[in-house]
Amino acid sequence: LHNEERAENSLSAFKAAVDAGFGIELDVRLSKDRKLVVFHDDTLDRVCGVNGKVVDFTADELAKLSLNGTGEGVPTLKEVLAVVDGKVPLIIEVKENTGDSAVSAAVDKELLTYKGAFVLESFNPLTVARVSKSFPEVCCGFLAQHFTKEEKHKGKFLFFALENLLFNRVCNPSFIAYHHEHHYMPMLRLVRLLGARTVAWTVRSKEEELAAYEHGFDTIIFENYIPAQMGK
């Protein structure tokens, strides 16, 4: 529930969601000193107005930056978990590049003693496979979209495979989170017919919400508005 006063991935936005009784989607990645911090982008320029990557700054340095000029810094996952404290469920997106397992390893350690409800998700199918093994009783989802619609991804087999969910047998996801505007993808429709639960991301209005349900999604990941309904 971030807005002009509450920056995205800020403690105040998370507290607002908790107070409203909404589950929270958040993104985790590692800082320079290998602590899990909650931040969406790989770089700091869009949200903090600072040049550089998150991984080039320590957690303490990130905490001193200002999210969208609000004066709030980048929180650690530990701080967010303390605010949520099991009051609402979490969707934790693990930001991890191919060939790296450090983030998922840190997530495993951080969540080992957390008592609240959570699910995990990632765009990286190998990450999904890793966290599924660490948390066999937790739903772990695969994130995707129509990647090859973008010029930079056209003709690249990896992105063709990702958008067509060809790694499902590798990561065996509990759910598929797909860009709500790309509902037309044939493989998305096929896995839904085969029984997969599908989640629309990121919905930003009641009109988009209605369209997502009309296109067959089971529930939504939303921001900046109060949804009319939460799942079917």
Side-chain angles (χ1 to χ4, degrees):
L1 289 184
H2 62 88
N3 54 25
E4 292 181 358
E5 290 79 33
R6 302 187 297 265
E8 64 178 82
N9 279 321
S10 66
L11 289 179
S12 62
F14 295 137
K15 186 178 186 305
V18 170
D19 291 343
F22 289 122
I24 297 170
E25 191 270 353
L26 55 86
D27 316 276
V28 296
R29 57 177 70 248
L30 284 176
S31 63
K32 184 178 181 179
D33 51 347
R34 314 306 276 177
K35 292 183 179 179
L36 284 170
V37 293
V38 179
F39 199 81
H40 179 274
D41 298 357
D42 181 46
T43 58
L44 295 161
D45 55 323
R46 180 180 68 88
V47 179
C48 297
V50 173
N51 291 325
K53 295 184 176 182
V54 175
V55 73
D56 294 330
F57 293 76
T58 67
D60 286 342
E61 290 170 337
L62 292 168
K64 295 175 182 177
L65 300 179
S66 180
L67 298 171
N68 292 134
T70 61
E72 287 192 83
V74 178
T76 64
L77 178 59
K78 186 182 294 292
E79 290 172 326
V80 174
L81 294 179
V83 167
V84 177
D85 193 27
K87 297 181 180 73
V88 296
L90 298 173
I91 303 174
I92 300 173
E93 180 184 340
V94 183
K95 297 284 192 179
E96 188 169 63
N97 296 324
T98 301
D100 183 18
S101 61
V103 185
S104 52
V107 167
D108 293 349
K109 185 177 180 180
E110 189 75 57
L111 294 174
L112 192 61
T113 58
Y114 181 64
K115 302 302 181 183
F118 65 91
V119 301
L120 299 162
E121 64 180 8
S122 180
F123 281 99
N124 185 339
L126 297 180
T127 296
V128 177
R130 280 193 288 268
V131 295
S132 295
K133 186 175 181 180
S134 299
F135 298 99
E137 297 180 358
V138 172
C139 290
C140 298
F142 178 58
L143 282 155
Q145 64 183 57
H146 187 178
F147 292 106
T148 58
K149 187 178 182 180
E150 299 179 34
E151 191 63 37
K152 63 181 179 179
H153 296 320
K154 285 184 178 179
K156 297 181 179 179
F157 178 76
L158 174 61
F159 291 98
F160 172 83
L162 290 169
E163 71 185 10
N164 284 288
L165 311 175
L166 301 186
F167 291 101
N168 276 11
R169 293 187 68 84
V170 174
C171 61
N172 192 28
S174 303
F175 63 92
I176 304 293
Y178 218 92
H179 195 303
H180 73 97
E181 292 181 354
H182 303 163
H183 56 83
Y184 50 79
M185 293 295 285
M187 189 59 74
L188 176 64
R189 295 178 177 179
L190 176 59
V191 297
R192 186 180 287 138
L193 288 174
L194 294 173
R197 289 188 62 82
T198 57
V199 180
W201 65 267
T202 298
V203 173
R204 297 183 173 88
S205 70
K206 292 181 180 178
E207 291 74 23
E208 290 182 353
E209 176 188 348
L210 177 61
Y213 289 126
E214 288 180 344
H215 291 130
F217 287 99
D218 293 293
T219 192
I220 62 171
I221 295 172
F222 69 94
E223 65 179 359
N224 295 135
Y225 85 104
I226 301 298
Q229 58 177 313
M230 288 301 295
K232 296 179 180 177

